[in-house]
Amino acid sequence: MTTDASAPWLIVGLGNPGPEYAGNRHNVGFMVADLLAERIGGKFKRAGKAQAQVVEGRIGPPGPANRRVVLAKPMSYMNLSGGPVTALRDFYKVPTAHVVAVHDELDIDYGVLRLKLGGGDNGHNGLKSMTKAMGADYHRLRFGIGRPPGRMQVADFVLKDFSSAERKELDYFVDRAADAVECLVTEGLERAQSAYNA
């Protein structure tokens, strides 16, 4: 799949809007997007008609590896993410292969990262909505949150804040996830996978 190297990238942090969700495991995508915005010196603002907040900027060293990026946080709630993401993709003329979804992943241990292109949604409602809206050929950065303890329901687990033990390492893991996104955008998937896929 070839795409124009100069085309912008759309990096989507998946989560739910509102302060009551801000620290939830399900909102780790928002956390990574916020850190990336901080790194490029931008502030999220409402994006025209799209139900999302965006920051535009550049990632990477000066020269050919420097990439134009749009960071986005859909404001539609997780299970409706596909509409805002597709609207932004079309507005900014981003090839689907230059879309990156950053999301929580139950089937990976806490803090472990996995980068991939395409694939299934593994029951993740944000990915399900995106795939339904624009197909599956986008990148994903899966951020491990582990499985719920005991008999806790998955929905309860993902909508709870990280535990105090997890929070001790959360900044480090979010920082590493932001590094992984930058590596993907500037150096490509294989390089990013070999550096960050545990």
Side-chain angles (χ1 to χ4, degrees):
M1 188 169 23
T2 56
T3 52
D4 176 5
S6 67
W9 284 75
L10 174 61
I11 297 155
V12 182
L14 292 178
N16 287 309
E20 68 273 34
Y21 298 107
N24 288 181
R25 293 182 177 92
H26 223 18
N27 269 42
V28 75
F30 274 19
M31 297 173 197
V32 175
D34 285 338
L35 179 58
L36 286 165
E38 206 179 291
R39 287 183 179 186
I40 65 176
K43 284 225 186 314
F44 277 100
K45 55 183 188 291
R46 202 77 185 190
K49 290 179 184 162
Q51 247 190 312
Q53 292 185 350
V54 298
V55 174
E56 295 177 58
R58 301 192 83 87
I59 282 177
N66 191 262
R67 299 280 181 259
R68 192 156 73 87
V69 296
V70 179
L71 307 174
K73 296 193 294 187
M75 293 286 121
S76 57
Y77 291 98
M78 181 70 88
N79 57 356
L80 298 171
S81 301
V85 174
T86 306
L88 292 171
R89 180 200 64 173
D90 295 347
F91 179 78
Y92 287 102
K93 299 180 172 54
V94 176
T96 301
H98 277 202
V99 176
V100 185
V102 183
H103 65 92
D104 58 307
E105 176 63 66
L106 288 158
D107 287 337
I108 304 176
D109 290 341
Y110 174 58
V112 173
L113 302 176
R114 290 270 194 286
L115 285 146
K116 67 175 195 168
L117 174 62
D121 56 56
N122 209 14
H124 192 287
N125 289 331
L127 297 183
K128 207 174 282 184
S129 177
M130 282 180 61
T131 298
K132 189 176 172 193
M134 62 183 192
D137 294 331
Y138 55 89
H139 286 87
R140 299 101 194 273
L141 173 61
R142 303 155 73 200
F143 186 113
I145 60 168
R147 300 294 304 182
R151 297 184 177 187
M152 187 189 283
Q153 294 294 311
V154 164
D156 295 334
F157 180 69
V158 300
L159 293 175
K160 278 201 172 7
D161 287 2
F162 286 100
S163 69
S164 54
E166 287 170 334
R167 280 200 295 274
K168 289 190 176 109
E169 297 180 290
L170 183 59
D171 286 349
Y172 168 76
F173 290 140
V174 167
D175 195 63
R176 195 162 180 273
D179 291 346
V181 170
E182 291 186 352
C183 184
L184 168 66
V185 167
T186 57
E187 299 185 54
L189 180 60
E190 280 181 30
R191 175 81 187 84
Q193 283 175 326
S194 65
Y196 293 98
N197 279 15

